[in-house]
Amino acid sequence: DATSAAKTLDPEQEKAAERIKELWKEKETVLLHGVTGSGKTEIYIHLIQEAVEQGRQVLYLVPEIALTTQLTERLQAVFGRQLCVYHSRFSDNERAETYLSLLRGKCKIVLGVRSSLFLPFDNLGLVIVDEEHDSSYKQQDPAPRYHARNTAAVLAHQFSARLLLGTATPAIETYYNALQGKYGLVELTARHGNVKMPQTSIIDLREQYRRKEITGHFSDPLVRKISDEIGEKRQVIVFQNRRGYAPWMECKECAYVPKCVNCDVSLTLHKRQGTLVCHYCGYTLTVPKVCPACGQPALTDRGIGTEKIEDELHELFPEAKIARMDLDTTRSKNSYQRIIDDFAAHRTDILVGTQMVSKGLHFDDVSTVAVLNASSMMNQPDFRSYEKAFQLLEQVSGRAGRNQRQGEVIIQTMDPESALLRHVAAHDYKALYEQQIQERRDFRYPPFYRLIAITVKHRDMQKADAAAGMLQARLQAVFTRRCSRVMQPAISKMQNMYIRNILLKIEADAPYATAKQLLQQQIQQVRLTDTAKSAVIQIDVDPM
């Protein structure tokens, strides 16, 4: 394979790369905090090249399979056949081939998702965790439950390798560790080629609805902007963090909502297939013609998903070429490649997508990014909801104006006065960090405390309550105020199992081995009782 030389770094990137190498002399881990479009990938390529020249192996982790497609092309151009790619869309044979090439020393660089951590490295010199803040790095179910960022640190330590964490929006815990001196910190504050950061316009949806200046879910100013961009042959990304056509259906007569038989959730409408689907267990129902409760033909869809947005765009811009990128359109092996290639080659004018479109992708001619309803992201029942919303909005806005002209981000919201949107508009991560770290300190959350989530599941609701109550009483006696009461999650039944949660908050400087031992003892005691014998008890340390 003919390979080309890596691109020359500009002075800022060169300075950052040198600083990273200096910091590695005293610290195993360095955080590269660079704004979107600052050329972090080019720095990675230069560092990979040095590691390979020293005869060491490199692991390059990305959070989403979608990211491997664009990166593969960039890395193969420089490293040719020394690069292997590893993720779950590959067949068993293809994955076995990567495994064997590593064992035989043919493969020097692995580009992959979190499961790549368990490949048989024997001489690892560098681990890069790109978009380190991403929650996709956390393996929730099934066990083992681990966070790829933390596991990468352990793996790098075993090989005396160096670890580089890269992102435009660091996780609060990571940035705290960097400021405390546990990690080295290198910052890139300007985009490559001095391209300006995108400007942000915030549209008040309440005002648009009041004036009736809205079509479907698109305000008139947004429609005008998209129309102008398409007229100028530029591209637009529309972000909506919900797949399907509509999150639920409802009867206009009796307010009946079709629900999953196995889970405590409403079914999502997928209009093209004519089905209602549960996104938790896969239960599927054909869309009923009349309401099953009152018999009236009054079922209507509520809320918005990417499929509905795509339909609305087809009506608003019949001449535009529109594509959608979400879990439903990327199920086959090469679907990511096809959607991304079409967009990069201008065969698509508007790309609608979920969080997949927000991460690390680089398109030269995207001038505008539209976020349809930012309020829904901020109001999640999770102490990280502000942090996650900022990361998503900042990352998706980073897709705009990556070439010469300044891009624009248009955010529609019901809450235009939100402090979060001020931070996003100013691209001010540090202000968000200051506000969040104070709240975390006040309310005893990471990085000051470690969380341990204990989940009790049972097919019988009474037994789930009894087992959870018994375990909570024992834990309360041992851990006192560090133990929460029994909580019923927002989705309290999944796949016919009733779910109850208990949360432990352990001080960051507490001896974990002791906490682990005490927790396991209490769980063993509870498992001996008749009530809890058939209950499933799961432990997740540092849940996301």
Side-chain angles (χ1 to χ4, degrees):
D1 278 8
T3 56
S4 53
K7 290 180 190 160
T8 316
L9 297 180
D10 69 18
E12 282 304 303
Q13 293 170 326
E14 186 66 55
K15 214 162 33 180
E18 288 308 317
R19 183 80 187 111
I20 290 167
K21 285 185 276 189
E22 263 170 54
L23 285 165
W24 269 339
K25 288 174 187 164
E26 55 206 55
K27 292 184 167 67
E28 281 187 353
T29 305
V30 173
L31 168 65
L32 173 59
H33 175 209
V35 295
T36 53
S38 57
K40 294 186 288 293
T41 310
E42 285 308 323
I43 295 175
Y44 300 158
I45 289 173
H46 280 259
L47 295 169
I48 291 170
Q49 206 162 20
E50 286 187 23
V52 171
E53 280 164 10
Q54 289 161 10
R56 308 290 297 270
Q57 294 166 325
V58 178
L59 171 59
Y60 186 155
L61 288 177
V62 289
E64 292 261 359
I65 297 171
L67 281 183
T68 58
T69 44
Q70 269 199 340
L71 274 173
T72 304
E73 287 165 24
R74 284 176 78 174
L75 292 170
Q76 262 172 351
V78 182
F79 300 107
R81 292 200 175 157
Q82 293 179 306
L83 176 76
C84 292
V85 182
Y86 188 86
H87 55 66
S88 59
R89 289 287 155 91
F90 282 172
S91 66
D92 289 351
N93 286 349
E94 287 170 306
R95 282 191 278 179
E97 203 173 306
T98 300
Y99 197 93
L100 292 170
S101 337
L102 252 181
L103 282 176
R104 291 171 187 152
K106 286 184 195 163
C107 166
K108 292 277 180 265
I109 305 153
V110 175
L111 170 65
V113 291
R114 59 176 188 243
S115 54
S116 324
L117 285 161
F118 305 107
L119 287 168
F121 297 100
D122 61 1
N123 184 17
L124 196 59
L126 171 62
V127 182
I128 296 171
V129 182
D130 196 14
E131 312 293 356
E132 66 80 28
H133 65 276
D134 201 289
S135 53
S136 312
Y137 280 129
K138 171 75 180 179
Q139 162 82 12
Q140 303 277 35
D141 269 318
R145 294 175 184 80
Y146 64 95
H147 197 299
R149 180 183 60 221
N150 306 345
T151 314
V154 175
L155 182 70
H157 182 71
Q158 282 177 351
F159 284 99
S160 304
R162 293 290 167 254
L163 174 62
L164 182 62
L165 307 174
T167 175
T169 52
I172 299 289
E173 294 91 319
T174 306
Y175 201 66
Y176 175 79
N177 282 334
L179 293 183
Q180 294 297 308
K182 187 178 172 185
Y183 301 159
L185 175 63
V186 177
E187 305 202 80
L188 281 170
T189 50
R191 285 183 143 188
H192 177 59
N194 288 325
V195 177
K196 288 196 176 112
M197 290 296 285
Q199 66 181 65
T200 305
S201 315
I202 292 170
I203 293 175
D204 184 350
L205 280 177
R206 294 168 307 188
E207 187 62 17
Q208 296 295 319
Y209 278 116
R210 194 178 65 74
R211 293 188 190 165
K212 299 196 167 46
E213 290 180 0
I214 195 153
T215 313
H217 294 90
F218 289 83
S219 59
D220 288 1
L222 179 55
V223 173
R224 285 195 294 275
K225 178 72 182 170
I226 295 175
S227 183
D228 292 348
E229 294 301 296
I230 293 172
E232 295 282 333
K233 295 276 180 280
R234 290 194 286 265
Q235 293 171 296
V236 177
I237 288 178
V238 177
F239 173 73
Q240 170 61 21
N241 210 12
R242 259 249 154 90
R243 65 191 173 101
Y245 187 84
W248 76 98
M249 289 192 85
E250 188 178 64
C251 174
K252 284 192 274 195
E253 295 289 327
C254 70
Y256 166 83
V257 175
K259 285 207 160 79
C260 175
V261 292
N262 310 314
C263 308
D264 188 14
V265 289
S266 53
L267 295 170
T268 302
L269 171 65
H270 288 253
K271 199 173 181 181
R272 308 253 165 97
Q273 290 91 0
T275 54
L276 291 166
V277 181
C278 171
H279 286 174
Y280 290 90
C281 71
Y283 172 76
T284 306
L285 199 66
T286 307
V287 177
K289 298 272 189 290
V290 297
C291 168
C294 67
Q296 297 298 317
L299 277 175
T300 181
D301 55 78
R302 295 273 188 242
I304 47 168
T306 44
E307 203 181 308
K308 190 184 216 170
I309 295 304
E310 190 185 3
D311 280 5
E312 287 184 6
L313 283 166
H314 277 300
E315 280 172 31
L316 287 164
F317 309 104
E319 73 297 341
K321 296 187 279 297
I322 298 160
R324 173 162 59 95
M325 184 159 144
D326 56 26
L327 199 60
D328 300 315
T329 60
T330 55
R331 287 193 190 280
S332 67
K333 184 178 150 190
N334 297 319
S335 44
Y336 289 114
Q337 188 83 42
R338 195 182 60 249
I339 295 167
I340 289 170
D341 286 352
D342 283 352
F343 196 56
H346 271 272
R347 289 190 286 272
T348 307
D349 302 313
I350 305 173
L351 180 63
V352 184
T354 54
Q355 66 201 19
M356 284 181 188
V357 298
S358 71
K359 299 168 190 171
L361 296 170
H362 178 92
F363 302 108
D364 282 345
D365 294 320
V366 174
S367 50
T368 303
V369 168
V371 178
L372 292 188
N373 186 359
S375 323
S376 60
M377 284 184 255
M378 298 186 257
N379 303 322
Q380 300 295 324
D382 175 8
F383 75 94
R384 286 194 176 95
S385 68
Y386 246 53
E387 177 192 357
K388 284 180 179 169
F390 176 86
Q391 287 165 344
L392 258 179
L393 291 170
E394 186 62 24
Q395 289 284 345
V396 80
S397 71
R399 299 314 111 212
R402 291 173 74 92
N403 217 348
Q404 292 315 307
R405 36 192 316 280
Q406 186 180 17
E408 186 175 0
V409 183
I410 298 175
I411 298 175
Q412 299 189 148
T413 176
M414 290 287 192
D415 181 14
E417 291 83 36
S418 157
L420 177 78
L421 294 179
R422 276 205 310 278
H423 297 325
V424 172
H427 306 288
D428 193 349
Y429 172 81
K430 286 180 181 158
L432 172 98
Y433 172 81
E434 290 303 332
Q435 178 219 349
Q436 286 295 302
I437 205 79
Q438 195 49 55
E439 280 187 16
R440 302 272 184 102
R441 195 180 270 115
D442 294 345
F443 295 103
R444 304 210 294 273
Y445 277 112
F448 306 103
Y449 281 72
R450 274 187 90 173
L451 303 184
I452 301 175
I454 299 141
T455 306
V456 180
K457 299 181 181 180
H458 204 294
R459 289 187 179 279
D460 180 321
M461 192 162 105
Q462 269 79 32
K463 286 188 175 168
D465 284 330
M470 200 185 306
L471 180 57
Q472 193 273 345
R474 283 178 158 279
L475 293 175
Q476 183 98 48
V478 176
F479 290 99
T480 61
R481 68 189 183 93
R482 298 180 188 87
C483 178
S484 75
R485 56 189 176 75
V486 176
M487 297 173 289
Q488 193 167 320
I491 299 168
S492 59
K493 180 189 170 198
M494 216 182 283
Q495 297 175 352
N496 286 321
M497 300 285 266
Y498 290 91
I499 303 167
R500 299 294 179 264
N501 290 340
I502 302 164
L503 191 64
L504 287 182
K505 289 182 180 177
I506 310 286
E507 293 85 343
D509 51 6
Y512 291 120
T514 316
K516 180 180 168 184
Q517 206 179 348
L518 290 168
L519 175 57
Q520 285 176 334
Q521 279 169 2
Q522 301 313 316
I523 289 175
Q524 275 163 359
Q525 292 298 316
V526 169
R527 280 204 172 117
L528 297 173
T529 61
D530 286 344
T531 317
K533 208 179 281 173
S534 47
V536 175
I537 301 175
Q538 293 173 342
I539 301 169
D540 189 3
V541 179
D542 304 326
M544 289 302 276

